[in-house]
């Protein structure tokens, strides 16, 4: 565990891997140190943002005293994401996984995913917890435009594009569900800790 100052209002905690970062984030979210106003998890880090009166040394001591449970059980709300599984890369993902396209759908919908952290674009959640068969590499070439609502896979993650953007994930389907709406509170539907179930629609 490495502690790095972040300007005068934050502390970045660097962990060994995603599981350790997720476990620490889950523990801190349940019982944040005094003076911490916000937590931002990432792949191997947790950023603690200070509120007024926070003392860096006291926050660091509090974090060192945390004993997170391995893996950190997700306890966030459940979001159901309806998906039409007709993505351009569904066949390639099936080949990479050594299964049929229908089995890819069964694997993707048969697991409860968890948003580990956000990034890449506002509202983009990196979902973990999927089956090992669906751990596939990114495309060798990124697309210049991926439509909003595209559902993809990359490495150990699944995700939903919140808006049109370039992207290199393997696209397996699409959803009409809006995962990012600046007029909504909170704007992001897929926030860290949220549990996700993908459901096939035709």
């Amino acid at each position: 565990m490495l502690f790095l100052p972040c300007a005068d209002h934050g502390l970045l905690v660097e962990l060994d891997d995603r599981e350790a970062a997720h476990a620490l984030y889950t523990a801190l979210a349940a019982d944040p140190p005094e003076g911490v106003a916000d937590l931002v998890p990432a792949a191997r880090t947790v950023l603690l943002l200070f509120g007024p009166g926070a003392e860096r040394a006291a926050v660091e001591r509090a974090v060192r005293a945390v004993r997170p449970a391995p893996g950190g059980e997700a306890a966030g709300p459940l979001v159901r994401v309806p998906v039409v599984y007709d993505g351009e890369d569904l066949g390639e993902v099936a080949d990479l996984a050594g299964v049929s396209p229908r089995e890819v759908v069964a694997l993707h919908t048969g697991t409860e995913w968890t948003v580990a952290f956000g990034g890449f674009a506002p509202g983009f959640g990196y979902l973990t917890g999927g089956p090992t068969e669906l751990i596939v590499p990114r495309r060798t070439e990124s697309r210049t435009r991926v439509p909003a609502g595209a559902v993809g896979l990359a490495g150990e993650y699944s995700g939903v594009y919140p808006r049109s953007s370039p992207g290199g994930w393997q696209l397996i389907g699409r959803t009409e569900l809006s995962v990012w709406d600046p007029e909504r509170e909170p704007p992001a539907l897929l926030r860290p800790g949220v549990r996700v179930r993908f459901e096939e629609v035709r």
Side-chain angles (χ1 to χ4, degrees):
M1 187 181 295
L2 178 65
F3 292 84
L4 301 169
C6 186
D8 59 355
H9 59 277
L11 181 66
L12 186 69
V13 184
E14 189 173 290
L15 289 305
D16 290 336
D17 51 35
R18 182 186 57 75
E19 286 76 15
H22 176 65
L24 180 63
Y25 168 75
T26 302
L28 293 176
D31 185 17
E34 185 175 349
V36 171
D38 199 7
L39 299 165
V40 183
R44 291 180 50 202
T45 62
V46 179
L47 174 63
L48 293 84
L49 296 173
F50 300 159
E55 295 182 12
R56 186 186 312 276
V59 171
E60 183 173 329
R61 283 196 301 273
V63 173
R64 288 187 185 280
V66 171
R67 295 291 177 265
E73 292 296 324
L78 176 65
V79 172
R80 298 185 184 279
V81 180
V83 178
V84 176
Y85 284 93
D86 60 356
E88 296 177 53
D89 302 318
L90 183 58
E92 182 174 342
V93 168
D95 290 343
L96 289 168
V99 299
S100 70
R102 290 305 309 162
E103 288 173 307
V104 171
V105 176
L107 288 165
H108 198 247
T109 57
T111 299
E112 185 172 283
W113 300 75
T114 301
V115 183
F117 57 92
F120 170 58
F124 192 98
Y126 285 76
L127 280 61
T128 61
T132 57
E133 293 94 330
L134 295 186
I135 298 176
V136 294
R138 293 167 56 93
R139 288 171 48 83
T140 54
E141 282 192 26
S142 295
R143 292 184 170 91
T144 56
R145 182 182 180 280
V146 175
V151 177
L153 296 166
E156 62 186 293
Y157 303 109
S158 187
V160 180
Y161 281 76
R163 61 183 181 186
S164 297
S165 67
W169 288 39
Q170 305 272 9
L171 305 183
I172 60 173
R174 55 189 163 87
T175 181
E176 297 294 325
L177 185 67
S178 174
V179 297
W180 172 254
D181 181 356
E183 304 300 320
R184 186 174 56 205
E185 183 56 43
L189 198 60
L190 305 183
R191 305 176 304 282
V194 167
R195 297 172 295 128
V196 175
R197 274 281 183 183
F198 292 101
E199 297 179 340
E200 183 179 22
V201 295
R202 298 175 186 272

